[in-house]
Amino acid sequence: QVQLIESGGGLVQAGGSLRVSCAASGRTFSTYHMGWFRQAPGKEREFVAAISWNLGMTYYTDSVKGRFTISRNNAMKTMYLQMNTLKPEDTAVYLCAAGSIFPATRGGEYDYWGQGTQVTVTS
């Protein structure tokens, strides 16, 4: 079993940067692939990025390529999403997820989810 807790969300101006984190409980974190999703009010949940557990391979949705970087520290059981050059359309609740499939871009392909952290980008 894995429990996930996001943190690091907040308010930032357009063009600024923010890093959100996802901390996992248990000893099996390193065996799971991880992903970030986001959901804005009135919109469907959107895939953002994924990272494999063993080789650190990454996969991004087109809208964040070149701006966002996903990473993980297995010793600390933590995953990160570094967000640069933020835009107002990036405003959403950011959720982390863990699963056994890579790359996985659908929510149903993940087994565990955090509660989300709010990211608000002002113009």
Side-chain angles (χ1 to χ4, degrees), residues 105-118:
T105 60
R106 297 181 299 168
E109 295 179 291
Y110 290 88
D111 301 312
Y112 306 101
W113 292 86
Q115 84 289 346
T117 186
Q118 177 70 48

Side-chain angles (χ1 to χ4, degrees), residues 47 49-52 55-60 68-72 102-103:
F47 169 78
I51 186 167
S52 65
L55 300 178
M57 296 181 291
T58 58
Y59 186 82
Y60 299 90
F68 290 11
T69 302
I70 187 172
S71 62
R72 65 191 295 168
F102 181 86

Side-chain angles (χ1 to χ4, degrees), residues 1-6 22-26 28-37 45 79 95-101 104 106-116:
Q1 288 287 334
V2 176
Q3 291 188 331
L4 307 172
I5 302 176
E6 299 94 336
C22 174
S25 65
T28 60
F29 171 78
S30 63
T31 68
Y32 289 94
H33 307 298
M34 304 289 293
W36 284 100
F37 289 76
R45 184 173 54 187
M79 178 181 64
L95 304 129
C96 67
S100 59
I101 301 171
R106 297 181 299 168
E109 295 179 291
Y110 290 88
D111 301 312
Y112 306 101
W113 292 86
Q115 84 289 346

Side-chain angles (χ1 to χ4, degrees), residues 22-95:
C22 174
S25 65
R27 298 181 178 180
T28 60
F29 171 78
S30 63
T31 68
Y32 289 94
H33 307 298
M34 304 289 293
W36 284 100
F37 289 76
R38 63 188 182 185
Q39 187 166 25
K43 297 183 179 180
E44 295 184 3
R45 184 173 54 187
E46 177 189 23
F47 169 78
V48 178
I51 186 167
S52 65
W53 75 268
N54 52 346
L55 300 178
M57 296 181 291
T58 58
Y59 186 82
Y60 299 90
T61 192
D62 287 342
S63 64
V64 308
K65 287 181 179 178
R67 299 190 299 122
F68 290 11
T69 302
I70 187 172
S71 62
R72 65 191 295 168
N73 186 325
N74 287 347
M76 297 181 64
K77 298 188 291 185
T78 305
M79 178 181 64
Y80 306 95
L81 184 68
Q82 177 67 46
M83 301 179 287
N84 298 326
T85 319
L86 282 162
K87 305 174 181 179
E89 51 262 45
D90 295 319
T91 295
V93 173
Y94 282 72
L95 304 129

